Amino acid sequence: MSPASEASDASDAFDVLIVGGGIIGLVTAWRAAQRGLVTAVVDPAPGGGAARVAAGMLAAVTELHYGEQTLLALNLASVRRYPAFAAELSEATGHDLGYRRCGTLAVALDSDDRAHLRELHAFQRQSGLESEWLSGRDCRRLEPMLAPGVRGGLRVDGDHQIDPRRLAAALLTACERAGVRFHRTTAERLTVARDRATGLVTADGTALAAGQVVLAAGSLSGRLAGVPEGVLPPVRPVKGQVLRLTMPPGQPPLLHRTVRAVVRGNPLYLVPRESGELVVGATSEELGWDTTVTAGGVYELLRDAHELVPGITELPLTETLAGLRPGSPDNAPLLGPTALDGLLLATGHFRNGVLLTPVTGNVMAHVLTTGELPEEARPFTPGRFGTTQAPVQAPAPAPTEQPA
Ligand code: GLY
């Protein structure tokens, strides 16, 4: 469609337009609207995205990885905000978020896993994190349904969980109540004039004008047409297959806290909700835009989960789903302004989107209102990948469909 034939909605002169209505786009919209910015979200199905699949672990300590110390600081900043964030969001919407301060147990099934966990424990302690080494017997005392062969584990009482679907639904309500406008369609192209982002054209040909545009489209963020080549975020989809089992009503819970393990080199987690849902995840596959649930993926998750907690085979398997994590080159998010004036990023949260939701909302609202990134977000500027050279107009191919 040529710009001349685009319908312009004159009433739609926004302070902020957000591409993507997943939890990151929604929290950005909510916080921006709370600060008085006239805000709109463009997404065909807001409240969806990777949060529909995610287990919702808030696992800054048990999901610590070598080389990610800088990210750890941001993760911990978000952990500290979670209680107040969850209370405020529940209060604003009346929604129960399934925020459960249940802690996490990371266990080892063989001597290799045990050595790996010992290393992780040492690294956690060096990083000043709370984590307690337990014998296999003590692990089973905490979680009696664990396999008898468990060789030891780490008790981390500070790694909690939230239900990401409830979180997304609550953020949607909070946005609506704060006056955020929703355009339930696809953002087709960024519009740029005089080296500045000026708005979006949507799939139905509507031109929306805005002072600032935030690209928060998860794994799709690198594919919005009209974004200059050097400014496109280097995000890629990383597939995760996840299962949901359900405890029959009236039956006592199988697990009382999140249980994690590495089984034959594959990370595995079981996240028990108060509702009786037990989430089992997740594969990690570099397969582009593929979101097929495969027999092999389901088999491996069930096989490994059964090795960890044999009793799961009795439970109804109620859902299988695959989603796409927005991976970035250093596994950390891209937050804040780009080299194209008026275009900001909030994407690339990879394994930590749910955990980083509170801090992302605050960081983005701050930068949208002041033009300055707060100190805690400075290591996460998009410019760290050297992708922000002088903008050149070069549209990227538009996505043809929205993956899960
Ligand atoms: N944070 C869990 C996952 O990405 O699978």
Side-chain angles (χ1 to χ4, degrees):
M1 179 173 291
S2 73
S5 62
E6 287 159 3
S8 181
D9 183 344
S11 63
D12 289 338
F14 298 103
D15 294 324
V16 181
L17 262 178
I18 297 171
V19 183
I23 51 176
I24 296 300
L26 291 176
V27 78
T28 301
W30 181 40
R31 292 308 197 192
Q34 281 180 321
R35 293 196 183 203
L37 298 173
V38 180
T39 303
V41 172
V42 181
D43 191 307
R52 248 173 46 74
V53 182
M57 289 176 297
L58 308 174
V61 179
T62 46
E63 217 163 292
L64 179 65
H65 291 272
Y66 289 107
E68 294 185 4
Q69 284 91 332
T70 309
L71 175 59
L72 174 65
L74 192 70
N75 285 345
L76 292 174
S78 212
V79 166
R80 283 192 292 276
R81 284 179 166 94
Y82 240 104
F85 168 81
E88 184 187 349
L89 186 56
S90 290
E91 171 79 24
T93 61
H95 286 229
D96 172 2
L97 308 177
Y99 179 45
R100 190 173 178 198
R101 298 199 219 190
C102 57
T104 296
L105 186 63
V107 300
L109 285 171
D110 61 27
S111 53
D112 284 352
D113 297 348
R114 198 166 181 277
H116 165 81
L117 271 192
R118 283 280 193 198
E119 287 285 316
L120 177 63
H121 188 221
F123 184 35
Q124 289 167 337
R125 302 304 300 264
Q126 278 162 25
S127 307
L129 303 170
E130 294 276 332
S131 170
E132 182 190 359
W133 181 264
L134 297 185
S135 66
R137 180 179 299 181
D138 284 341
C139 289
R140 285 193 305 281
R141 209 168 273 146
L142 278 183
E143 292 295 344
M145 298 308 283
L146 281 175
V150 164
R151 304 283 296 269
L154 295 176
R155 175 177 177 165
V156 177
D157 287 341
D159 276 3
H160 303 310
Q161 60 153 303
I162 195 164
D163 184 333
R165 294 176 180 178
R166 289 172 179 243
L167 173 63
L171 284 170
L172 198 52
T173 301
C175 283
E176 282 162 357
R177 292 193 179 166
V180 173
R181 288 267 301 275
F182 284 90
H183 289 268
R184 286 177 162 77
T185 178
T186 304
E188 196 154 274
R189 182 165 53 79
L190 183 76
T191 51
V192 178
R194 287 184 289 281
D195 288 342
R196 184 179 175 88
T198 54
L200 293 165
V201 178
T202 64
D204 60 11
T206 305
L208 303 171
Q212 303 184 82
V213 178
V214 180
L215 191 41
S219 57
L220 285 168
S221 301
R223 302 187 62 177
L224 181 65
V227 180
E229 195 76 57
V231 178
L232 275 175
V235 289
R236 67 184 197 287
V238 181
K239 177 179 173 181
Q241 299 190 50
V242 173
L243 316 177
R244 282 173 166 80
L245 313 176
T246 305
M247 294 298 300
Q251 211 164 294
L254 212 55
L255 297 172
H256 303 88
R257 72 205 72 226
T258 297
V259 171
R260 305 176 61 108
V262 178
V263 186
R264 279 179 289 272
N266 299 323
L268 180 78
Y269 43 81
L270 286 85
V271 182
R273 304 229 196 278
E274 260 155 8
S275 64
E277 184 176 80
L278 179 66
V279 186
V280 180
T283 66
S284 189
E285 305 165 71
E286 302 270 359
L287 289 174
W289 303 104
D290 175 49
T291 53
T292 314
V293 175
T294 63
V298 173
Y299 165 71
E300 281 168 26
L301 289 170
L302 286 177
R303 180 196 61 195
D304 295 350
H306 173 251
E307 211 161 304
L308 197 60
V309 182
I312 62 141
T313 48
E314 304 300 322
L315 302 181
L317 172 61
T318 37
E319 198 177 336
T320 60
L321 211 52
L324 299 173
R325 305 174 183 89
S328 79
D330 61 4
N331 300 338
L334 293 89
L335 302 173
T338 67
L340 179 65
D341 276 350
L343 179 68
L344 298 91
L345 301 181
T347 188
H349 291 69
F350 192 36
R351 293 187 308 266
N352 295 303
V354 180
L355 173 62
L356 289 173
T357 295
V359 75
T360 299
N362 289 136
V363 163
M364 294 309 295
H366 186 88
V367 71
L368 285 164
T369 45
T370 66
E372 294 288 323
L373 261 184
E375 186 69 36
E376 63 195 345
R378 293 205 182 135
F380 307 100
T381 56
R384 74 188 184 276
F385 299 118
T387 51
T388 53
Q389 66 252 22
V392 182
Q393 281 286 99
T400 50
E401 61 181 36
Q402 171 78 44

